[in-house]
Structures are given as structure tokens and as C-alpha cells.
Amino acid sequence: PQLDLNTYPSLVFWSVVSLIIGYILMKYLVTPNIKSILNNRETNIQNDLVKARTSSQETEKIKENIINSQRDLKSRSQLIINQALTETKHNIEKKEKDINQKLYEKIIKAEKQILDTQKLVIKEVINNSEELTENVIQNLTNLKYDKVEGKRAINTASKIILTEK
């Protein structure tokens, strides 16, 4: 049947009709759908690119704001640290002055106590020396011991000894 020439016109007719129907279907149904899909895709891509640029610009603004905030926080923290250091130095100096004042007062008090103790010891030594002198003179010699004169001699000798220091 393929080589039968009588079937050729019908085959040609149906082939042409099929091709025309296929062409019409492709032109009016398939191609417009493909074209609209490609246009939608292109529009979506363009919209996505615009959104991406906008997002990139917003990201840059946010990044810049974060960097500025970090600088601001860093400068504020440095200021706080400097203030804390200044206050700490001031407090340390104040405490140091207070401690030095207390130490000075304690030193003065201790020196006063030492001087008082020294005076008491000197008085005791003088009194003891008066007694010893009297005992030595009475026991070793037969001389009469004058207490007033002995006291005056011991006081004079003690003054001489104390002023030599």
C-alpha cells in the first residue's frame, strides 16, 4: 500500500491537514503559553534582581549602621573605662592620704608615748641613782650624805649626760 499511487492524494491531503492543524495548535496554543511562561520567568528574574539589589543596599545600610554603632559603643566604653580609671586613681589617692594621715597620727602618738616612757625611765633612773648613791656613800664611807645636795649633783650630771645625746 505504500507504493500504491492511488493512496497518495489522500495521504498528502491528510498530511497537509495534520500539518496545518499542528501549525495552528502550535501557533495559537503552545507557542503563546511558552512565550507567556518565558515572559513570566523573565519578569520574575528581573523582579528578583531588583529585590536582590534592594536587599543588598539595605544590607549595606545595616552593615554601616552596625559599624557606626560599634564605633559609638567602643568610644562610650573607652570613656567609661577612662572614667573608672580616673575614679579609681582618685579613690586610691584619697585612701592613700587617709592611710598616711592615720599613720602620721599613730607615729606622733607612738613618739609621744616613747618620750613619755623615756621621761619616766629617766626619772626612775635618777631616783634609783639617788638611792644607790646614798647607799654607796653610807656603806662605803663614813661621810654624811646630804640628800638635797646629792639630788642637785645627780640632776646636773643627768642633764649633762642627756644633752650629750
Side-chain angles (χ1 to χ4, degrees):
Q2 287 99 1
L3 296 174
D4 186 15
L5 289 177
N6 288 332
T7 60
Y8 276 0
S10 117
L11 283 174
V12 169
F13 173 75
W14 285 113
S15 290
V16 169
V17 168
S18 294
L19 283 173
I20 291 173
I21 290 173
Y23 176 76
I24 291 172
L25 285 174
M26 286 299 282
K27 182 172 180 168
Y28 293 107
L29 290 177
V30 176
T31 306
N33 282 339
I34 290 173
K35 193 173 184 181
S36 71
I37 288 171
L38 288 175
N39 286 338
N40 283 339
R41 186 174 178 201
E42 184 67 28
T43 304
N44 286 339
I45 289 171
Q46 292 301 322
N47 288 339
D48 288 345
L49 287 174
V50 168
K51 287 179 186 177
R53 283 188 205 114
T54 305
S55 295
S56 176
Q57 290 172 350
E58 288 176 8
T59 303
E60 286 299 320
K61 286 180 184 178
I62 291 171
K63 184 179 176 183
E64 193 174 306
N65 286 339
I66 288 172
I67 290 171
N68 289 337
S69 296
Q70 285 176 340
R71 274 192 228 129
D72 188 37
L73 287 174
K74 188 175 181 180
S75 65
R76 278 195 258 155
S77 64
Q78 190 65 38
L79 182 65
I80 290 170
I81 289 170
N82 289 340
Q83 286 176 342
L85 286 173
T86 304
E87 288 176 13
T88 304
K89 283 181 182 178
H90 179 69
N91 288 341
I92 288 172
E93 288 172 357
K94 184 177 179 183
K95 294 283 184 185
E96 194 175 82
K97 284 180 182 178
D98 291 344
I99 289 171
N100 285 339
Q101 181 65 30
K102 288 178 183 178
L103 284 174
Y104 182 72
E105 290 173 1
K106 285 185 178 185
I107 289 171
I108 289 175
K109 187 176 180 182
E111 285 176 350
K112 185 178 178 186
Q113 286 177 346
I114 289 171
L115 288 175
D116 291 344
T117 305
Q118 186 180 18
K119 286 178 183 177
L120 284 174
V121 167
I122 289 172
K123 270 187 179 180
E124 284 182 29
V125 167
I126 290 173
N127 287 338
N128 288 339
S129 64
E130 288 174 7
E131 289 175 16
L132 280 173
T133 306
E134 182 181 352
N135 286 339
V136 166
I137 289 176
Q138 285 177 355
N139 289 335
L140 295 178
T141 63
N142 289 333
L143 297 175
K144 184 178 177 189
Y145 179 72
D146 185 9
K147 284 187 178 184
V148 174
E149 199 57 40
K151 198 173 199 179
R152 211 178 294 147
I154 290 174
N155 281 336
T156 305
S158 66
K159 285 180 185 177
I160 292 171
I161 292 172
L162 290 176
T163 55
E164 287 180 0
K165 284 186 179 178

